[in-house]
Amino acid sequence: MRDAQGMGAAPSFRPCVVVPVYNHEHALPVVVEALVQAHLPCILVDDASSAACAAVMDGLAEQRDVHLVRLAVNQGKGGAVMAGLRRAAQLGFTHALQVDADGQHDLEDVEDFLEAARLEPQALICGYPRYDDSVPKARLYGRYLTHVWVWINSLSLAIRDSMCGFRVYPLAPVLALIDQVELGRRMDFDPEILVRLSWRGQPMRWLPTRVHYPLDGVSHFHAWQDNALISKMHAKLFFGMLWRAPAILLRRWRR
């Protein structure tokens, strides 16, 4: 992976990486090392991890341009990502690449995602996954149900994948949404924020990315709890879509 800061970025484009972390002490150093080698500032969000994982993060945060946000109470993936995005804005960054801590995302794709964000700084750059044989089949098939509901709730087929967390967020419009709407704080965050941004006419671009499950064998997706949260989120978005539908469709027709 080439130096991601050496792409001729304009001063108005200052990217960083936000990594939500919950007990991934074995995979995390590998992820951070790859990002540091690319000269990308990293914001690690400790989502009330174990003492062992917290100690690993303390060591990583001693490196230059590795920042640590520590949450006293576990917030869930979405809560950790939002805390990281807020800190990114406080540090003066304009864009934040969300990367999972378990090593499932192919960091060789970082350069392509940041280059796409540099060329279209107003757009949200989203990954759609290309899986290898390590993907759990239940997760692979289950996500298609979410895709269908996302297409219904966004009144569009434009959202190619709503569950992949490998994204470059433009901080200004994303934080404006976060400040105005109570978003899901766990595994429901990734699809909900895309639907709500699509309602606002947020430009989105899609790039393929390879996904491998996972480097340290730890998954924090809880089948019953998280599927219940995601189902509740879809129902809430459906009724929200109904009264917004005329305005959404009118705006698209005018474009």
Side-chain angles (χ1 to χ4, degrees):
M1 183 167 59
R2 290 179 289 174
D3 184 339
Q5 292 283 50
M7 297 185 297
S12 61
F13 179 68
R14 289 196 62 212
C16 69
V17 181
V18 169
V19 186
V21 185
Y22 181 62
N23 296 341
H24 283 294
E25 61 267 29
H26 302 298
L28 183 63
V30 179
V31 173
V32 172
E33 175 64 18
L35 298 170
V36 168
Q37 289 297 317
H39 302 285
L40 271 170
C42 299
I43 299 173
L44 308 180
V45 184
D46 177 5
D47 194 18
S49 295
S50 66
C53 187
V56 169
M57 280 185 276
D58 286 336
L60 293 171
E62 293 178 359
Q63 301 177 76
R64 180 182 178 184
D65 283 338
V66 178
H67 308 270
L68 178 58
V69 178
R70 183 148 276 153
L71 303 178
V73 178
N74 181 265
Q75 301 291 306
K77 179 185 179 182
V81 169
M82 288 188 281
L85 297 179
R86 291 189 189 281
R87 178 60 60 88
Q90 291 168 1
L91 293 171
F93 296 107
T94 62
H95 292 72
L97 171 66
Q98 177 184 329
V99 172
D100 286 354
D102 61 4
Q104 69 171 271
H105 295 144
D106 188 346
L107 300 183
E108 291 296 320
D109 293 332
V110 164
E111 180 183 341
D112 291 339
F113 276 65
L114 291 180
E115 176 66 6
R118 185 188 69 82
L119 293 173
E120 292 188 79
Q122 301 305 313
L124 170 58
I125 310 302
C126 307
Y128 64 91
R130 291 178 173 173
Y131 294 108
D132 61 16
D133 293 337
S134 67
V135 60
K137 292 300 184 286
R139 295 280 296 275
L140 180 63
Y141 301 141
R143 65 193 296 124
Y144 283 103
L145 180 59
T146 280
H147 295 343
V148 171
W149 273 111
V150 164
W151 295 333
I152 293 170
N153 290 333
S154 64
L155 296 174
S156 171
L157 298 175
I159 297 178
R160 297 190 62 167
D161 186 283
S162 62
M163 299 293 286
C164 181
F166 196 61
R167 302 169 181 171
V168 184
Y169 289 106
L171 291 176
V174 170
L175 289 176
L177 173 66
I178 290 171
D179 288 339
Q180 295 165 12
V181 178
E182 185 69 27
L183 294 172
R185 304 185 71 84
R186 296 192 176 274
M187 297 297 183
D188 47 348
F189 171 79
D190 283 337
E192 182 175 9
I193 194 169
L194 289 192
V195 172
R196 290 191 177 275
L197 285 171
S198 77
W199 288 349
R200 296 184 172 209
Q202 171 66 43
M204 300 182 192
R205 301 293 177 265
W206 301 87
L207 296 178
T209 186
R210 289 162 291 186
V211 175
H212 174 79
Y213 278 80
L215 184 62
D216 65 0
V218 178
S219 172
H220 297 304
F221 187 90
H222 300 98
W224 291 106
Q225 178 185 359
D226 287 317
N227 280 321
L229 281 173
I230 291 170
S231 297
K232 181 179 178 181
M233 176 266 299
H234 287 315
K236 178 177 66 175
L237 291 177
F238 177 76
F239 289 106
M241 173 271 293
L242 289 179
W243 68 265
R244 289 180 175 88
I248 294 170
L249 295 174
L250 178 61
R251 183 177 63 243
R252 291 178 184 169
W253 177 77
R254 285 174 172 170
R255 282 211 305 265

